[in-house]
Amino acid sequence: MEQQWDNDTTSLLGYMITHLQEILQQQDNNGGGFILERLATLMLLRLFLLPDGHPGYTLCLRRLIASLITRHWVSETVAVLEEIVVRLRQLLGLQFIGELEPPLVLARLAGFLKLRFQEQGDLGDLEEAIKYFRTLNQRPFVEPEERAKHMDNLADGLMALYHECHTAEDLDEAIELYRQVLTLRPAGHPGRFHSLCNLSSSLFSRFGRYDSLEDLDEAIDYDKEALSLIPEEHSSRSVLLHNLALSWHARFEREGEAPFGAI
């Protein structure tokens, strides 16, 4: 009798979830936060009612995570972020086979751990995210653009760790990864601008540590190339010009060379 009640309740919850999803699709972010909250609550209740090993458990968990992620982008509350991390860990545990973690789940978990570090400052979250980014980067037989994305994420994580701990090895590894990403994004690639900026910024950081003129000159060259890729009205142009001004000022103080004709 209890099992029948659970089945009926689960079916009713499924109907209510579908109905709310339809309403949400018809709305233009008007009241969406309230609906997303109710949707996540119903999905969580439905997940709770499913027994271990139920064939629909994983799918239900995936849908709950998707709903929580959407809700997070709308509300950005700490509680929702915590729930996302918990549920992604749960999903990763269900899918773990030997030493092979499902890449999409692992990438999402790493991304949200890094986000939680940025919001809450727990270095353990960043270190765990880097571990997962490294695992993703070591996967064989990956398409070049996917490889570039994994290397980019790992390098970003290492740079964040460097700014916290100031370990030279993290900075050096990040720079090498950014170099590899840039080779995968040749002239004309839509991601080249982003890669040029990352590499320039990391090289300028290493110049600040070691006073290496080679790093400084390389950073200037990459900033100049990045500047050539964007129109004058681009939102990043002022930032690039500011970075170039800092770099040329540093070079003038270091070598006494006036930056005439620099740009």
Side-chain angles (χ1 to χ4, degrees), residues 162 171-172 175 199-220 246-255:
Y162 171 72
L171 176 59
D172 291 340
I175 290 173
L199 184 51
S200 172
S201 176
S202 59
L203 285 165
F204 189 80
S205 292
R206 192 162 68 179
F207 163 74
R209 184 184 181 99
Y210 295 116
D211 196 33
S212 167
L213 191 61
E214 182 180 352
D215 285 335
L216 180 59
D217 284 344
E218 199 175 355
I220 290 171
L246 289 176
S247 296
W248 277 107
H249 178 73
R251 199 183 198 292
F252 177 74
E253 289 195 326
R254 173 78 159 71
E255 294 293 303

Side-chain angles (χ1 to χ4, degrees), residues 160-207:
L161 187 62
Y162 171 72
H163 290 310
E164 292 291 323
C165 302
H166 307 287
T167 304
E169 290 79 7
D170 293 330
L171 176 59
D172 291 340
E173 185 180 359
I175 290 173
E176 180 55 33
L177 286 164
Y178 284 141
R179 288 192 194 281
Q180 293 179 47
V181 173
L182 191 63
T183 63
L184 293 172
R185 293 172 175 172
H189 190 287
R192 187 168 178 83
F193 171 79
H194 173 76
S195 295
L196 286 165
C197 293
N198 282 341
L199 184 51
S200 172
S201 176
S202 59
L203 285 165
F204 189 80
S205 292
R206 192 162 68 179
F207 163 74

Side-chain angles (χ1 to χ4, degrees), residues 53-93:
H54 189 282
Y57 191 91
T58 299
L59 178 60
C60 187
L61 181 56
R62 283 181 177 277
R63 288 176 174 173
L64 171 61
I65 292 169
S67 175
L68 288 167
I69 290 173
T70 303
R71 185 181 167 199
H72 172 74
W73 298 136
V74 172
S75 61
E76 295 187 357
T77 63
V78 173
V80 175
L81 180 57
E82 296 292 334
E83 187 71 18
I84 290 171
V85 171
V86 168
R87 296 303 169 182
L88 282 170
R89 289 189 196 281
Q90 183 183 1
L91 183 59
L92 188 63

